[in-house]
Structure formats: C-alpha cells, structure tokens
Amino acid sequence: MELTEQAKATLLAYQQTEITEHQIYMRLAQSSASPDNRRILERIAQQEREHARIFTSYTRQDVQPNTFKVWFYYLISRIFGFTFGIKLMEKGEEKAQANYEDFAEMVPELKKIIQEESEHEAALINLLDEERLRYTGSIVLGLNDALVELTGALAGLTLALQHTKLVALAGSITGIAAAFSMAASEYLSTKSEQTAKNPIKASVYTGIAYIITVLILIFPYLFFGNIYVCLALTLIAALLIIAGFNYYISVAKDEPFRARFLEMAGLSLSVAALSFGIGFLMRTFFGIEL
C-alpha cells in the first residue's frame, strides 16, 4: 500500500518513538546491577526494536532516536529510580499508542504492537525489583511523621516565640531528635516483622526522609525576618513536598494521586492549625513576651 505523506510522517514519528525507547531500555539495562532486572530491561528493549523494525518495513526509511528523550529519561531513571523513569515515559507515550488504532488497517501488525505495549510490557515492568520502592513504607513514615509533627511544632513555636532564629533553633533540635527516634523505632519495628526488608536500611530511609523534610521546613526561618511569612513559606513547602512525593508514588506504584495528597495535606495543615492555636493559648496563659 502506497502511503500518503501525512501517513508516512505519522508512522515515522511512531518509528522514532519505538527506537528511542529501545535506546533508553538498553542504557538502563547496561547500568543495572541486578542480573534479573537487566534481563527484563533487555527483553523490553528487544521488543521495542522489533516494533521499530515493523514501522521501518512500511516507511522504508531509517530514523535516529530522539537524543534528548534518551538522555532525559535515562537521567530521570538514574536519579529517581528506573521504575519511576520507565513508567513516566510510558505514560507520556499513552496518547501516541492510543492513536495506533487509526492505522490498524494500514499496518496489520499494529494490533500485536498495541497488545504488547499494553499487556506484555506492563507485566514485565511490574517484575522489576527496585530497592527504593521496597522501602517506600519507611520513606512514607519518615516524611509523614516529619510533616505532621514539625509543621505543627513550627506553627506553635511561631506564635509562642515570635522570633525566627529561636523557632529555627527549637525546630531543628526537635526535628533532628525526632528523626533519630523515628529511625530507631523503624529499626525495631522492621526487625520484629517477618519481611524481606533490612532493618538497618529501613531505619536509614526513615531517618534520611525525616531529616531532609526538617531541613526544608525550617529553611524559611533561617533567611527571612517576618515570622508569619516564614510560617506561610513553611506550609507551602510542606504542600510541595506532599505533592512531589505523592506524584512519585502515583507514577512508580500506579496509586491514585488525589486521595493520597488530600489525606496527607489535610493531616499536616490540621495539626499546624491546632498547634498554632495551642501556641496562642500558651503564650496568653503564661503571659510570655519575648
């Protein structure tokens, strides 16, 4: 069948997408330390190369992979984990794959490609084993506890102390002490459970997540003078952390974003508002003026 210029241009775009994904999967396979993950990634890469070959048989033209996308998704995968990077890439290609059906009569093999993209490939991706996703629960524990506890503490300290540096000092001491406490609790909890998780690694993930959150939340109090501006920036930072982490989980683990975000945001802001009120009452009751 003779292709129109428009049809050929569309098939060439699909062809470039497949060969680009082939390159991404091959790069990730080469950088994977796990033999099992490497085999899975290489298998998907071969599948993508076969898809590109099918398109080439119709376009009769070779295309180069999109170098920007290759490096973008490779770096995203290296920084945030290959499961996140791969699923983010696949989500970005869903619209293109949905349009494959428009050419199903022209390219009969597209039915096979669509099936492999939606079923076989998804099943292979779910077989990938990544350490950071196994310890997601520990990270959630550290983040959630730090967000709820420290936003509340900073809100209460803001009204009680009325001094940015004092709030930063008190918040830092409280946060770091709590981080070590949470890490120790996670170690004991994981050790007592019958899981494949390493107790030391679980405690480290929890402690690091907690400390990073503490540092971000107290940052405004170190560089701004207005106590209420600092509190507002801290609450905004808390919402951004919640949004960013829940977006990561929603992509990497195919979980709903909206419900998780609203739940965590509601808890953190509610505790902050309650603590702010307690700080006001304590300041008034004791008659403290700093």
Side-chain angles (χ1 to χ4, degrees):
M1 181 183 295
E2 189 68 26
L3 297 176
T4 65
E5 287 299 317
Q6 183 178 0
K8 184 176 181 180
T10 302
L11 292 182
L12 282 170
Y14 294 161
Q15 182 180 332
Q16 185 182 50
T17 295
E18 300 295 342
I19 200 65
T20 297
E21 292 187 355
H22 163 72
Q23 288 289 329
I24 294 168
Y25 282 117
M26 283 304 298
R27 285 181 182 273
L28 292 176
Q30 291 165 5
S31 64
S32 175
S34 166
D36 290 335
N37 287 337
R38 191 182 308 119
R39 281 194 293 271
I40 293 170
L41 291 167
E42 286 175 347
R43 188 173 171 184
I44 300 175
Q46 291 168 3
Q47 191 170 279
E48 298 289 4
R49 184 173 59 185
E50 176 61 20
H51 295 169
R53 188 197 63 77
I54 292 171
F55 285 120
T56 304
S57 68
Y58 286 90
T59 63
R60 302 187 183 281
Q61 182 177 330
D62 289 328
V63 294
Q64 296 300 312
N66 185 319
T67 306
F68 172 78
K69 282 188 175 181
V70 171
W71 283 105
F72 175 78
Y73 285 111
Y74 174 74
L75 292 174
I76 287 289
S77 299
R78 295 292 289 169
I79 295 169
F80 297 104
F82 53 75
T83 305
F84 175 79
I86 288 169
K87 290 193 175 182
L88 184 66
M89 177 179 68
E90 293 297 329
K91 283 181 179 291
E93 300 301 336
E94 281 178 358
K95 285 186 178 180
Q97 292 167 10
N99 294 330
Y100 281 2
E101 295 182 5
D102 297 338
F103 291 85
E105 291 185 8
M106 187 182 302
V107 184
E109 294 93 337
L110 273 175
K111 292 181 179 179
K112 175 187 175 185
I113 293 176
I114 292 170
Q115 183 178 4
E116 288 182 346
E117 294 280 1
S118 62
E119 297 176 5
H120 189 201
E121 210 164 90
L124 288 173
I125 291 171
N126 288 331
L127 290 175
L128 293 169
D129 181 32
E130 190 167 18
E131 181 178 284
R132 71 188 70 191
L133 289 183
R134 278 188 274 124
Y135 291 92
T136 299
S138 299
I139 297 172
V140 169
L141 180 65
L143 274 175
N144 191 57
D145 197 79
L147 287 166
V148 173
E149 182 176 330
L150 203 64
T151 50
L154 290 174
L157 291 169
T158 293
L159 198 60
L161 300 180
Q162 295 281 302
H163 192 287
T164 56
K165 296 297 186 289
L166 286 176
V167 173
L169 177 63
S172 299
I173 295 171
T174 301
I176 292 173
F180 286 118
S181 174
M182 285 301 301
S185 297
E186 178 67 358
Y187 171 82
L188 294 173
S189 175
T190 305
K191 192 174 182 179
S192 66
E193 296 172 355
Q194 297 299 319
T195 67
K197 292 198 300 183
N198 183 298
I200 295 177
K201 286 186 177 181
S203 66
V204 168
Y205 275 107
T206 299
I208 289 176
Y210 202 113
I211 289 175
I212 290 174
T213 306
V214 167
L215 294 175
I216 294 173
L217 294 181
I218 67 168
F219 183 84
Y221 290 91
L222 297 174
F223 294 95
F224 297 95
N226 187 298
I227 198 77
Y228 298 108
V229 169
C230 292
L231 178 60
L233 291 174
T234 291
L235 294 177
I236 291 171
L239 290 175
L240 290 175
I241 293 171
I242 294 169
F245 180 73
N246 280 291
Y247 177 73
Y248 177 89
I249 294 299
S250 71
V251 172
K253 301 190 75 173
D254 297 316
E255 295 186 6
F257 170 80
R258 183 183 176 87
R260 289 178 59 94
F261 171 76
L262 291 177
E263 182 181 35
M264 287 185 70
L267 280 172
S268 297
L269 294 180
S270 297
V271 171
L274 182 62
S275 299
F276 191 83
I278 292 173
F280 174 77
L281 292 174
M282 295 293 286
R283 181 181 175 86
T284 303
F285 180 78
F286 289 108
I288 299 173
E289 295 292 339
L290 297 177

